[in-house]
Amino acid sequence: MTVIGWLQIILYCVIIVALTKPLGWYITRVLNGERTFLSPVLRPIEAGIYWVSGVDEKREQHWLTYTVSMLLFHVGGVLIIYGLMRLQALLPFNPAGQSAVAEDLSFNTAISFITNTNWQNYGGESTLSYLVQMLGLTHQNFLSAATGIALAVALIRGFARASMRTIGNFWVDATRTTLYVLLPICVVYALFLVWQGMPQTLGPYVEATTLEGAKQTIAVGPVASQVAIKMLGTNGGGFFNANAAHPFENPTALSNFVQMLSIFVIGAALTNVFGRMVGNQRQGFAILGVMGVLFVAGVAVTYWAESSGTATLHALGLTGGNMEGKEVRFGIVASSLFAVITTAASCGAVNAMHDSFTALGGMIPLINMQLGEIIVGGVGAGLYGMLLFIILAIFVAGLMVGRTPEYVGKKIEAREVKMAMLAILVLPLMYLGWTAIAVVYPTAVASMANAGPHGFSEVLYAFTSQTGNNGSAFAGLTGNILFYNLAGASAMFVGRFFMIVPAMAIAGSLASKKSVPPSAGTFPTTGGLFVGLVVGVILIIGGLTFFPALALGPIVEHLAMNAGNVF
């Protein structure tokens, strides 16, 4: 570890905190339907969308109607992506002549992109046409991100409102988020990426002659427009197979730093949106504090592990840290920071091979996902996931002092606690359950390139990533087989929607309750004690579910690698 490395980490954190309040102010105005500096240009477009689609923007929805609207919206997304991939060979903008994608892979990819997972059992440049990349994947990157933000704001309204049966209108929330937040930022962002050297073209792949005289095909395409929203919307799906390690997806150190900022910026800003909507911005900063403690701890462990290397590397004379699987233009600190950011959020983009990290360095991304990706998390998803843990923490605090739990003026009762536990426990059920099946099912076992603890870690990471809607991978698996395509689709679908439905039920329940004024016995939820309590509850609940699995994989790996053994 170096001083320059830590200065880069500190600079990153400072910029994220500095952007949280102004962006939170802007998003709050957008979702409240208030005028912004973009309204003169975008308001007529917004009104036209409502007119064409038959949406009454003033008519709000019950939580159940809101949730059903969201689910039907995603059914349409699945059909669009699946149809485009199956008909790819017949459609235009296919300069490489890509053929139709197989049924099971098309299904897996469709579920992957509508759930904001972007798990890819294929190489983008060798499998998909420009049309599918743009109309299918980039299109869903915007809509899945907008959905996450809309759902988070709906849950915030549950806390902010009193004696009401509605939590907003899904169609209006998704439209405003896309039109006023995601699109304007991505237009500027994509232009910046093109300036940094990222391709943005509909021209054919480029034929080049190497120094040895051989012919090489260099894949290009509309890359910048997809990368902008894949990062900002914490989607993570790469235009190229190598993702953000590819020089056309991440050309420079500056593009790498800005991409890291874009992964966290909206998720962090939503904590300020929460504070503004409930009438106390300190509540939002307390939530950001919980996220910050967990994030900094993860970065410290990963950076230390990667910069220290292992006994095996030292025995080979490779000192100065673990550079295996990392890009020289990024180095250890930027690779470690990126790995923690992308798994703390539900982004899944990678600028280094997580499979090549040290055992402890690779364990932190795994833990981040198994905690539910609530450390900033996916846009929207991180906040509503964190609020579920806060409900449990407030319940625990109420038990300790013998009072009915309260949070921002709302009593937390049995219904909310049950729904929160249901949403949280469905995650380990998926990733532990599917991992158990995969390590004994012969076809799945045959797809493992590594045996022992590392092979187990690769399978566990795959299902954890898919259940957490992350999309990053340890690799080492042949994922494009029927078992992994169907099992992975199941994990992604359950991990996304079986968490959303209980969260929306909580939103509806809270919105219908009366607000309770604070009293002398109300537990303060804006200070260090609250932050510590929530961190403790997260680690205890998470530890009960993920530690047994980690003991079979990364921890055993770490002990063996530092004993000089090589897997």
Side-chain angles (χ1 to χ4, degrees):
M1 293 191 289
T2 65
V3 173
I4 293 177
W6 277 109
L7 286 176
Q8 182 173 330
I9 293 169
I10 293 170
L11 176 63
Y12 175 83
C13 295
V14 168
I15 293 175
I16 288 294
V17 173
L19 291 174
T20 294
K21 194 169 182 177
L23 186 56
W25 170 82
Y26 176 73
I27 294 175
T28 302
R29 292 188 66 85
V30 168
L31 273 300
N32 284 340
E34 300 173 23
R35 185 178 176 84
T36 70
F37 70 98
L38 291 175
S39 295
V41 176
L42 297 180
R43 176 57 193 169
I45 300 174
E46 179 190 0
I49 292 173
Y50 298 147
W51 180 79
V52 171
S53 56
V55 172
D56 181 358
E57 63 178 304
K58 296 182 179 180
R59 183 177 181 180
E60 294 199 345
Q61 297 171 312
H62 183 267
W63 78 264
L64 188 57
T65 309
Y66 194 102
T67 305
V68 170
S69 297
M70 179 272 300
L71 293 173
L72 292 175
F73 182 62
H74 285 80
V75 170
V78 169
L79 296 176
I80 290 171
I81 297 177
Y82 184 84
L84 286 171
M85 296 184 77
R86 295 293 295 140
L87 298 173
Q88 177 173 253
L90 305 175
L91 297 172
F93 299 108
N94 187 8
Q98 307 290 9
S99 59
V101 182
E103 292 94 332
D104 58 323
L105 180 56
S106 296
F107 177 71
N108 178 278
T109 306
I111 296 296
S112 175
F113 276 79
I114 64 107
T115 58
N116 201 251
T117 308
N118 292 33
W119 175 269
Q120 296 173 288
N121 277 335
Y122 61 88
E125 69 270 45
S126 60
T127 307
L128 300 182
S129 69
Y130 293 170
L131 183 71
V132 175
Q133 294 265 35
M134 293 185 297
L135 187 57
L137 307 190
T138 305
H139 166 244
Q140 282 301 316
N141 283 348
F142 276 97
L143 299 184
S144 63
T147 296
I149 296 172
L151 293 169
V153 172
L155 182 55
I156 294 172
R157 291 189 186 114
F159 285 100
R161 294 180 173 183
S163 302
M164 293 186 66
R165 293 178 53 83
T166 60
I167 57 172
N169 185 308
F170 171 76
W171 308 111
V172 173
D173 290 341
T175 300
R176 286 176 177 165
T177 299
T178 303
L179 200 58
Y180 289 88
V181 180
L182 300 177
L183 271 173
I185 296 175
C186 282
V187 168
V188 178
Y189 191 5
L191 292 174
F192 163 80
L193 294 174
V194 171
W195 171 57
Q196 288 294 292
M198 196 172 293
Q200 181 67 22
T201 177
L202 294 177
Y205 288 2
V206 177
E207 296 292 334
T209 302
T210 68
L211 293 175
E212 294 82 8
K215 296 295 182 180
Q216 179 181 358
T217 300
I218 300 175
V220 291
V223 183
S225 56
Q226 180 167 323
V227 171
I229 186 58
K230 95 167 186 180
M231 295 300 190
L232 184 68
T234 62
N235 298 279
F239 190 97
F240 300 101
N241 190 37
N243 208 283
H246 195 292
F248 282 177
E249 280 204 40
N250 200 357
T252 67
L254 178 59
S255 72
N256 185 71
F257 191 76
V258 173
Q259 286 185 41
M260 289 192 294
L261 289 172
S262 65
I263 294 172
F264 261 17
V265 67
I266 291 181
L270 285 173
T271 63
N272 186 256
V273 174
F274 177 85
R276 290 178 184 277
M277 286 192 169
V278 300
N280 184 353
Q281 291 188 51
R282 293 181 63 192
Q283 299 287 353
F285 285 117
I287 297 174
L288 187 62
V290 174
M291 296 174 174
V293 168
L294 295 170
F295 171 69
V296 171
V299 171
V301 173
T302 303
Y303 183 29
W304 169 80
E306 295 307 302
S307 61
S308 299
T310 66
T312 302
L313 292 173
H314 295 161
L316 295 172
L318 301 174
T319 59
N322 174 32
M323 274 298 294
E324 181 188 350
K326 297 178 177 65
E327 295 292 303
V328 176
R329 67 186 188 276
F330 302 141
I332 290 176
V333 61
S335 300
S336 301
L337 181 58
F338 198 112
V340 178
I341 292 168
T342 197
T343 51
S346 68
C347 184
V350 295
N351 74 346
M353 284 297 297
H354 291 186
D355 198 38
S356 297
F357 276 36
T358 63
L360 293 184
M363 183 178 70
I364 296 302
L366 189 56
I367 289 176
N368 286 344
M369 294 185 294
Q370 290 186 347
L371 289 177
E373 293 181 318
I374 54 173
I375 308 169
V376 178
V379 287
L383 180 62
Y384 64 67
M386 177 61 77
L387 288 173
L388 296 177
F389 276 101
I390 287 175
I391 287 172
L392 297 181
I394 293 298
F395 175 69
V396 170
L399 290 178
M400 290 191 292
V401 299
R403 289 179 54 88
T404 301
E406 300 171 12
Y407 183 58
V408 293
K410 293 297 178 72
K411 289 186 179 293
I412 305 300
E413 298 174 305
R415 175 182 173 84
E416 290 79 36
V417 175
K418 290 176 181 177
M419 289 294 104
M421 285 303 303
L422 176 63
I424 291 171
L425 291 178
V426 74
L427 302 181
L429 174 65
M430 279 289 102
Y431 63 71
L432 294 179
W434 280 119
T435 299
I437 294 172
V439 296
V440 297
Y441 183 57
T443 302
V445 173
S447 294
M448 297 169 60
N450 295 288
H454 191 65
F456 176 84
S457 294
E458 289 172 342
V459 176
L460 177 63
Y461 193 105
F463 283 112
T464 300
S465 175
Q466 291 173 95
T467 302
N469 303 135
N470 186 270
S472 64
F474 256 12
L477 291 173
T478 302
N480 188 19
I481 63 172
L482 183 63
F483 171 79
Y484 277 114
N485 280 332
L486 296 184
S490 169
M492 291 184 283
F493 183 87
V494 172
R496 177 75 162 179
F497 298 111
F498 280 52
M499 192 176 191
I500 286 174
V501 174
M504 291 301 97
I506 291 173
S509 175
L510 293 174
S512 65
K513 294 183 178 184
K514 296 180 179 179
S515 292
V516 179
S519 65
T522 300
F523 179 67
T525 55
T526 58
L529 179 62
F530 171 74
V531 171
L533 174 66
V534 177
V535 170
V537 168
I538 290 170
L539 294 178
I540 290 172
I541 294 177
L544 291 175
T545 59
F546 66 67
F547 187 79
L550 293 178
L552 292 173
I555 293 177
V556 174
E557 278 189 70
H558 172 71
L559 296 175
M561 291 176 71
N562 283 279
N565 296 323
V566 180
F567 287 96

